[in-house]
């Protein structure tokens, strides 16, 4: 319903319903169909995979992408339902939680306006579900794909590794000796980081990410790396004034300290991510939620 309302508003009102990024996606997809680089479209700073996925916008209908993103919300709800059941919630409460997601005005509006966040959410939730089910290969493939699509899920790597080594320790039983020396505790912890489960997950997830990266690097060259990843790591935008660092960065925009201060602003996030990882890794879903909140909210561009 919102998709078709968006068509009406776009045609009849000065303020458009459709997100400007959706037009960017569609223009990039058009370049793909012409055998050109999607990065010929100014401000396209995403993986080429997204432009390839949205080529039906050109061949079929320009509403295809919006319908795909809404389908992503449904897939996300499906994984939520499965995860909550695995965590012991009864079916009625689980359905209520999923309904709260599906009827929430925020994701409804975001997807129907043409934002692709639901695809990343589906991949991340799929990763969490298969981690809970101990299907490590499936979880690793989805995780590698999610990091390729958007860089922020890379912060989940540490909690995932800690969670996997913790699971192996529980399966083998607690073999800690009372008053064991700290150096021995650290040695056992370090060795568990090279367990079969950890190495399998890292190999598959890293292989998925690397394979996609190599394909698009050889197809589109350095533009792929610059626009998909490096731009977001070095981005400076003093007009995004919802950031807690906005005024500091605004005042120092022309200063030689601008770049060092921008990097320093990430230090509180890094510290919080490390603390949260070691404190909550046993509950991987909750830990990942905290990582997302810490990574997204106190950043320099918001």
């Amino acid at each position: 319903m919102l998709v078709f309302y968006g068509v009406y508003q776009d045609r009849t009102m000065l303020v458009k319903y459709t997100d400007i990024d959706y037009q960017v996606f569609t223009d990039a997809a058009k370049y793909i169909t012409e055998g050109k680089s999607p990065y010929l479209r100014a401000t396209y700073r995403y993986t080429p995979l997204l432009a390839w996925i949205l080529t039906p916008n050109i061949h079929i209908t320009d509403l295809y992408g919006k319908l795909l993103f809404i389908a992503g919300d449904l897939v996300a709800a499906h994984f939520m339902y499965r995860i909550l059941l695995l965590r012991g919630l009864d079916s009625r409460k689980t359905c209520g939680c999923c309904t709260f997601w599906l009827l929430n005005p925020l994701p409804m509006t975001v997807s129907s306006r043409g934002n692709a966040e639901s695809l990343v959410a589906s991949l991340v939730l799929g990763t969490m579900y298969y981690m809970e089910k101990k299907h490590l290969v499936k979880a690793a493939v989805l995780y590698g794909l999610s990091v390729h699509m958007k860089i922020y899920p890379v912060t989940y790597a540490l909690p995932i590794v800690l969670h996997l080594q913790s699971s192996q320790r529980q399966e083998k039983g607690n073999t800690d000796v009372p008053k064991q020396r700290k150096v021995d505790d650290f040695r056992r912890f370090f060795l568990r980081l090279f367990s079969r489960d950890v190495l399998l997950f890292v190999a598959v997830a890293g292989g998925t990410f690397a394979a996609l990266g190599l394909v698009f690097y050889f197809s589109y060259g350095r533009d792929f790396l610059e626009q998909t990843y490096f731009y977001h790591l070095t981005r400076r935008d003093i007009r995004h004034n919802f950031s807690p660092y906005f005024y500091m960065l605004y005042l120092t925009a022309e200063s030689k300290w601008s770049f060092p201060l921008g990097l320093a602003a990430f230090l509180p996030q890094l510290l919080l991510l490390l603390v949260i990882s070691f404190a909550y890794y046993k509950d991987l879903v909750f830990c990942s939620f905290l990582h997302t909140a810490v990574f997204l909210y106190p950043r320099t561009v918001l």
Side-chain angles (χ1 to χ4, degrees), residues 38-138:
Y39 299 111
L40 292 175
R41 176 43 161 108
T43 73
Y44 183 78
R45 298 187 174 99
Y46 311 90
T47 169
L49 182 60
L50 180 60
W52 276 96
I53 291 173
L54 294 181
T55 52
N57 273 21
I58 309 302
H59 297 304
I60 302 175
T61 172
D62 60 0
L63 298 180
Y64 167 81
K66 293 184 178 182
L67 298 176
L68 177 65
F69 302 153
I70 292 171
D73 283 328
L74 297 176
V75 174
H78 169 75
F79 282 127
M80 288 180 197
Y81 181 81
R82 296 296 182 183
I83 290 170
L84 291 172
L85 288 180
L86 287 175
R87 294 167 72 86
L89 240 63
D90 61 72
S91 183
R92 183 177 179 180
K93 290 181 180 179
T94 300
C95 287
C97 291
C98 294
T99 301
F100 180 77
W101 164 259
L102 290 172
L103 299 182
N104 189 321
L106 182 59
M108 289 172 64
T109 304
V110 167
S111 294
S112 61
R113 292 186 69 227
N115 193 291
E117 293 300 323
S118 65
L119 300 184
V120 182
S122 299
L123 292 170
V124 169
L125 286 167
T127 301
M128 296 297 114
Y129 171 68
Y130 287 117
M131 285 292 295
E132 294 276 331
K133 292 281 289 183
K134 309 297 183 185
H135 295 168
L136 297 185
V137 173
K138 294 179 182 178

Side-chain angles (χ1 to χ4, degrees), residues 178-230:
K179 299 181 180 180
Q180 183 75 26
R181 290 183 306 172
K182 291 183 178 181
V183 64
D184 292 335
D185 292 338
F186 179 78
R187 181 177 58 83
R188 287 197 299 272
F189 171 79
F190 183 77
L191 290 175
R192 284 196 299 269
L193 295 180
F194 294 91
S195 66
R196 176 188 174 277
D197 287 350
V198 172
L199 293 177
L200 175 64
F201 187 91
V202 170
V204 175
T208 302
F209 177 79
L212 288 169
L214 286 172
V215 167
F216 291 126
Y217 178 75
F218 286 122
S219 299
Y220 304 111
R222 188 170 175 81
D223 281 345
F224 160 66
L225 296 178
E226 290 284 353
Q227 302 298 335
T228 305
Y229 301 119
F230 297 156

